[in-house]
Amino acid sequence: MQEHRLVTTRRARYYTIGGGAQPLAESWIVLHGLGQLASAFITYFQSIDTPDRLVVAPEALNRHYMMPEGGGSSRDAKIGATWMTRQDRENEIADYVDYLDAVWRETGGASRVTVLGFSQGVATAARWIAMGKSRIDRFVAWAGQIPPDVDPSAFTKLSEGITIVTGKTDEYSSWIAEGDDKGRLEVVGIKPKVLTFDGGHRMDRLTLDAIAAA
């Protein structure tokens, strides 16, 4: 058996809220977590959309049926999306980095660009910042791990640094801390801003509003 490769055009979708002002002062590119869809994820950001702030939610290229326990018909199953799996991971990473660069180009023009990743979206955002060609000013790593395969020196180009957000009762907090250990970042001169909120593995509106106001 011999494996072959080719590059093909892929149709992808993203959602936006806010914006409309010219010139656009700020854009947020927000990356959802495992099993989420961009159309639902973007609703968490309705409290921060303004005419001069555009919120952009790209959807991961891979979708799947999320079958309930015990199985059931795919006709009624919820559909989710994932940025990658361990299968063919290098090529999936390359594909989503190219895709996110394309989203940035199509929605670019803002003076300030924030990228927020939630859960699996944190690893996606980190790799995009490290491997992509887009100008990004601030990285908000929310409830996810900065992956060990990303050299933290890649984040030194962020003019506004990194903000790490974790719920105090997040069931994945130990795993998150392994990748987001401040020492790993500080060794390359990065001092992240660390925020916590009362809650688990989720978005928190008050914390989000505070970050947006900063």
Side-chain angles (χ1 to χ4, degrees):
M1 180 177 66
Q2 185 174 1
E3 183 177 282
H4 302 270
R5 299 278 175 180
L6 61 82
V7 177
T8 183
T9 301
R10 173 65 194 268
R11 291 167 176 81
R13 65 183 179 185
Y14 65 90
Y15 296 83
T16 64
I17 55 175
Q22 293 296 329
L24 189 64
E26 184 176 14
S27 65
W28 283 50
I29 300 178
V30 299
L31 308 182
H32 63 77
L34 175 65
Q36 296 180 311
L37 294 176
S39 57
F41 186 60
I42 201 170
T43 63
Y44 292 112
F45 300 86
Q46 290 174 333
S47 66
I48 69 166
D49 79 81
T50 64
D52 61 356
R53 177 188 291 132
L54 177 69
V55 181
V56 182
E59 188 164 280
L61 298 174
N62 307 300
R63 299 185 192 93
H64 56 96
Y65 291 114
M66 300 179 66
M67 304 300 292
E69 290 187 15
S73 171
S74 61
R75 178 183 301 176
D76 304 315
K78 179 182 176 183
I79 295 172
T82 179
W83 291 101
M84 62 171 291
T85 66
R86 65 177 180 270
Q87 183 69 242
D88 201 24
R89 66 186 304 277
E90 290 80 9
N91 285 293
E92 289 204 340
I93 291 169
D95 283 344
Y96 71 58
V97 168
D98 288 347
Y99 163 45
L100 293 172
D101 275 342
V103 171
W104 187 96
R105 289 193 300 270
E106 185 161 297
T107 62
S111 301
R112 183 191 196 199
V113 179
T114 293
V115 170
L116 181 148
F118 171 75
S119 194
Q120 188 192 42
V122 171
T124 303
R127 294 187 180 108
W128 177 32
I129 292 167
M131 301 169 62
K133 300 176 181 177
S134 303
R135 177 187 57 80
I136 296 164
D137 301 296
R138 178 171 59 166
F139 175 26
V140 180
W142 194 305
Q145 187 189 82
I146 297 175
D149 55 273
V150 173
D151 184 343
S153 64
F155 304 129
T156 59
K157 62 186 176 183
L158 298 170
S159 62
E160 298 186 36
I162 300 177
T163 298
I164 295 172
V165 186
T166 311
K168 293 179 180 178
T169 57
D170 193 323
E171 58 268 40
Y172 303 108
S173 58
S174 296
W175 172 78
I176 292 169
E178 291 175 5
D180 299 352
D181 176 60
K182 289 194 300 181
R184 181 180 171 215
L185 298 172
E186 289 177 353
V187 74
V188 295
I190 298 172
K191 294 185 178 180
K193 183 176 183 180
V194 179
L195 302 176
T196 59
F197 62 90
D198 292 326
H201 196 70
R202 62 172 177 82
M203 297 293 298
D204 179 74
R205 185 181 63 80
L206 293 179
T207 304
L208 177 65
D209 291 352
I211 293 171

